[in-house]
Amino acid sequence: MNEYVLKTNDLSKKYKDNLAVSKVNLSIKQGDIYGFIGQNGAGKSTLIRLICGLAKPTNGSVELFGQSSESDLIQARKRIGTIIEGPALYPNMTAAENLEAHRLLKGIPGKDCVEKTLTLVGLQETRKKKAKNFSLGMKQRLGIAIALLGDPEFLILDEPINGLDPMGVVEIRGLLKKLNQEHGITILISSHILSELHLLATHYGIIHNGKLIEQLSLKELNKKCQQYLHIKVNAPNKAAAVIESHLKTKNFEVMPDGAIKLFDFLDAPGEISQTLTSQNLIIEEFMPMGEDLESYFSTRVKGVPHE
Amino acid sequence: MSNLIKSEWFKLTKDQSFRVLTLLLISVAVLFPLLEFDNTDTGLPTVSEYHLNNVLGIHTDIIKLIPSILAGFFITSEYSMGTMKSIVSSGNSRGRIYFAKLSMFSVGAVILSLLLPLFMTGASTVYFGFAGMPDLAFYLQTSGLIALYGAAFASIMAIFATIFSDSGKTIGFLLFMFLLVDWPLQVLAAKVSFLEPIINHSVFRLIYDIVNISQLDGKEVFIMVLIPVITFITSGIIGSYIFHKKEIK
């Protein structure tokens, strides 16, 4: 069985002189919730459109469930569910009719799945209401319901929580987590709401100016975003030894510039400063620091040159 | 392929423009013959005369214009609503998607094209009496050709409905094109000699011969049947090629 649900190899897409996607090597393992982060125009939607077969790459290739030839990719796409740049709905059809049209399209036998999916996304009460009369949040739910038809193994969701009210966001997050944990569905999700992505994703990809500048796991991200005490002293090596021997912790890092990142004792800064000064160390900088996903993202994309 | 056809048929039956156009044409077909009762000078026509002069007299416009509206809503709106994205990413080849769409659009266009011959003739029979009915063979021949030419024109419309991504543009362009296309074709046939036989044997010209079907010989009838079939296949291949190359936005 292929470990990777999706891999892209040097995937590029050029529109006239604009390189929308540049040599992207993305990999998503089975069971991941992959958060796709990027500014407007960074290339997120173009990349998703290349994966879904809506656009053809200028260079490189897409590998879906281990398949990369054009005919195999078409077959592999039967195993995915998508929301691309908003939910794709027929406004004059009811919620149930929208699902029925997609059920027929995907060749799913039996009409039971329509009711089952409407119930799953909480739209069973409004099944006879036309999609054009839905709120944006309800449209998003219906879009997710359509993507879920046929029990896909891989969900590609481009901005699925746009327009949802806070309760809707919580419900959709819960639903996606449930689908991932209980049904083992792999999810690629792009969103501008980074705080929300941080609560959901297990892996992250940061795209900027068409380039995938970083891929990291939640563990790695948490480590990078972790709150810590930034300490700069006149003798970093001595300080490290003092912290280890006197404070009995190894949960710190000495950075190349000599600064120390201490991940413990965040609530007892006085104890640390007292310990360091008692050992004749001169404290030059001492402050609590740390990032959330938003600030980490802006730090990462800052300074990446435009092509 | 069958799942695509089923899905397209489902969408056609739910398509509001198709429903409105169908109701409109049936209303016109049922109500229009009543105008003959105001024509007191010449008296009521026979059903045969009414079929020949009124039903077949306007069928060319019905075939060319009414399905143009359906093309905008049934095909192009899939791009503007974004639903084409989920169709293309559903794991079906673009060729199959295009031919399923074309098939069901053609069925819709044929249904719309046949509403007047069916309902107008039926209504005129009720209003004017059963005496002087049109010859059954002639009625079936003309209705069959109307269906065939309806499908041929639908395949041409589908090409433009695939090129545009806005329903309004598709409808406007198709109406404009089909209203005016006869004149430039006529000029072209007169000016460029090698194009004359091609233009004269195109669906754009042959459609006017449907009404004369009983006067044509076997070879001419064969051409009348063959050309729309070739047009449908050729336009289908061209449209499928365009769709294959089209970037879905």
Side-chain angles (χ1 to χ4, degrees):
Chain A
M1 199 167 164
N2 200 299
E3 190 190 3
Y4 288 98
V5 168
L6 172 72
K7 271 180 110 173
T8 65
N9 308 305
D10 286 336
L11 194 65
S12 302
K13 179 69 182 175
K14 198 173 183 178
Y15 294 103
K16 291 179 182 168
D17 294 332
N18 176 30
L19 198 58
V21 170
S22 174
K23 292 184 178 173
V24 168
N25 292 298
L26 181 143
S27 50
I28 301 177
K29 281 184 186 171
Q30 197 173 25
D32 285 355
I33 300 180
Y34 191 97
F36 205 27
I37 311 166
Q39 293 166 302
N40 286 336
K44 295 192 301 286
S45 294
T46 307
L47 192 57
I48 287 176
R49 286 172 56 236
L50 289 169
I51 295 163
C52 295
L54 305 181
K56 289 192 169 56
T58 313
N59 276 310
S61 63
V62 174
E63 207 177 291
L64 205 52
F65 299 105
Q67 309 295 327
S68 57
S69 74
E70 196 169 342
S71 56
D72 289 341
L73 272 174
I74 289 170
Q75 288 305 311
R77 288 192 185 106
K78 287 187 193 296
R79 297 161 69 182
I80 68 172
T82 58
I83 295 183
I84 308 160
E85 294 167 307
L89 310 174
Y90 296 100
N92 289 315
M93 287 190 201
T94 65
E97 286 169 349
N98 263 287
L99 284 175
E100 177 65 6
H102 284 87
R103 181 189 75 81
L104 292 168
L105 171 72
K106 292 181 179 180
I108 303 162
K111 289 186 175 183
D112 302 354
C113 61
V114 171
E115 292 304 320
K116 205 178 88 183
T117 316
L118 280 172
T119 307
L120 189 68
V121 297
L123 288 177
Q124 69 276 23
E125 299 295 321
T126 46
R127 60 186 301 283
K128 287 185 178 172
K129 193 173 176 180
K130 286 193 174 180
K132 66 181 174 187
N133 298 324
F134 273 17
S135 67
L136 189 56
M138 288 163 83
K139 283 180 184 170
Q140 291 283 23
R141 280 163 198 257
L142 187 53
I144 291 173
I146 289 168
L148 287 174
L149 272 178
D151 301 324
E153 293 162 59
F154 181 30
L155 277 178
I156 298 176
L157 308 172
D158 191 8
E159 302 285 356
I161 49 178
N162 260 8
L164 290 179
D165 56 39
M167 278 311 292
V169 171
V170 173
E171 282 173 30
I172 294 299
R173 189 207 310 149
L175 173 66
L176 294 177
K177 275 194 169 174
K178 187 177 159 191
L179 290 168
N180 175 257
Q181 285 160 6
E182 293 179 13
H183 301 266
I185 298 176
T186 310
I187 301 171
L188 166 63
I189 178 170
S190 82
S191 176
H192 283 102
I193 309 168
L194 301 187
S195 54
E196 199 47 47
L197 267 190
H198 204 167
L199 294 172
L200 186 64
T202 58
H203 290 77
Y204 298 86
I206 300 175
I207 189 165
H208 187 61
N209 293 339
K211 287 181 178 170
L212 189 69
I213 55 173
E214 190 172 11
Q215 286 194 100
L216 70 170
S217 67
L218 177 64
K219 202 176 166 186
E220 288 166 327
L221 180 73
N222 280 341
K223 199 173 176 190
K224 289 186 177 188
C225 295
Q226 203 173 352
Q227 297 295 316
Y228 59 90
L229 283 171
H230 168 88
I231 306 164
K232 209 161 184 184
V233 292
N234 57 336
N237 291 336
K238 186 183 173 188
V242 168
I243 291 169
E244 207 171 328
S245 58
H246 287 72
L247 298 171
K248 311 283 183 215
T249 179
K250 288 182 177 178
N251 198 8
F252 65 89
E253 277 177 39
V254 182
M255 308 309 289
D257 65 349
I260 294 169
K261 280 184 177 181
L262 177 61
F263 301 104
D264 280 343
F265 297 96
L266 292 171
D267 52 351
E271 189 183 340
I272 297 154
S273 60
Q274 197 181 8
T275 308
L276 292 173
T277 47
S278 69
Q279 298 300 312
N280 298 323
L281 287 158
I282 300 165
I283 298 173
E284 293 164 357
E285 289 174 18
F286 189 93
M287 65 190 100
M289 286 180 93
E291 293 178 308
D292 56 10
L293 182 56
E294 275 175 40
S295 55
Y296 180 73
F297 169 70
S298 36
T299 312
R300 277 307 275 120
V301 300
K302 224 180 267 175
V304 177
H306 284 261
E307 288 231 323
Chain B
M1 185 78 172
S2 70
N3 55 319
L4 283 166
I5 297 268
K6 281 180 196 166
S7 173
E8 292 302 331
W9 172 249
F10 180 78
K11 285 187 275 180
L12 181 68
T13 56
K14 300 287 174 190
D15 191 290
Q16 265 198 343
S17 65
F18 181 65
R19 288 179 173 186
V20 169
L21 290 170
T22 303
L23 273 176
L24 203 74
L25 283 172
I26 291 174
S27 307
V28 167
V30 172
L31 298 174
F32 206 71
L34 292 174
L35 291 175
E36 294 297 326
F37 288 101
D38 284 341
N39 195 354
T40 48
D41 297 343
T42 52
L44 289 176
T46 62
V47 178
S48 175
E49 286 167 349
Y50 195 80
H51 175 251
L52 194 64
N53 298 329
N54 294 66
V55 179
L56 297 181
I58 55 170
H59 76 275
T60 52
D61 292 330
I62 301 292
I63 289 172
K64 290 193 287 185
L65 302 181
I66 302 293
S68 297
I69 300 168
L70 182 65
F73 289 110
F74 185 64
I75 301 177
T76 311
S77 68
E78 295 269 19
Y79 299 99
S80 49
M81 292 186 301
T83 43
M84 189 52 87
K85 285 187 269 197
S86 60
I87 298 174
V88 170
S89 60
S90 67
N92 291 288
S93 76
R94 289 203 183 194
R96 285 180 175 203
I97 292 168
Y98 185 82
F99 276 102
K101 193 85 191 166
L102 172 61
S103 305
M104 284 306 111
F105 171 60
S106 301
V107 168
V110 168
I111 290 171
L112 292 175
S113 303
L114 286 174
L115 286 175
L116 284 198
L118 194 67
F119 283 92
M120 211 176 223
T121 312
S124 59
T125 306
V126 173
Y127 302 146
F128 311 144
F130 286 82
M133 293 288 281
D135 177 52
L136 184 65
F138 177 72
Y139 179 77
L140 291 178
Q141 271 182 318
T142 51
S143 298
L145 285 171
I146 285 172
L148 208 53
Y149 278 75
F153 275 95
S155 68
I156 297 168
M157 291 168 195
I159 295 175
F160 294 99
T162 304
I163 292 171
F164 295 113
S165 300
D166 180 270
S167 314
K169 279 182 191 163
T170 299
I171 296 168
F173 177 84
L174 287 175
L175 290 177
F176 190 72
M177 183 179 91
F178 287 124
L179 278 172
L180 300 178
V181 74
D182 287 346
W183 178 74
L185 284 179
Q186 210 172 349
V187 173
L188 213 61
K191 299 274 182 196
V192 188
S193 56
F194 78 91
L195 284 178
E196 192 188 352
I198 300 171
I199 291 169
N200 286 342
H201 288 89
S202 70
V203 288
F204 294 98
R205 296 297 280 271
L206 291 176
I207 190 171
Y208 296 106
D209 285 337
I210 292 177
V211 70
N212 304 320
I213 190 71
S214 56
Q215 294 155 31
L216 303 179
D217 62 28
K219 190 186 163 195
E220 287 168 323
V221 170
F222 177 70
I223 289 170
M224 283 286 290
V225 173
L226 185 67
I227 295 297
V229 174
I230 292 172
T231 304
F232 186 86
I233 294 168
T234 312
S235 301
I237 292 167
I238 294 168
S240 171
Y241 177 77
I242 292 169
F243 183 61
H244 197 76
K245 295 281 171 197
K246 186 174 171 117
E247 196 150 299
I248 315 295
K249 289 182 178 168

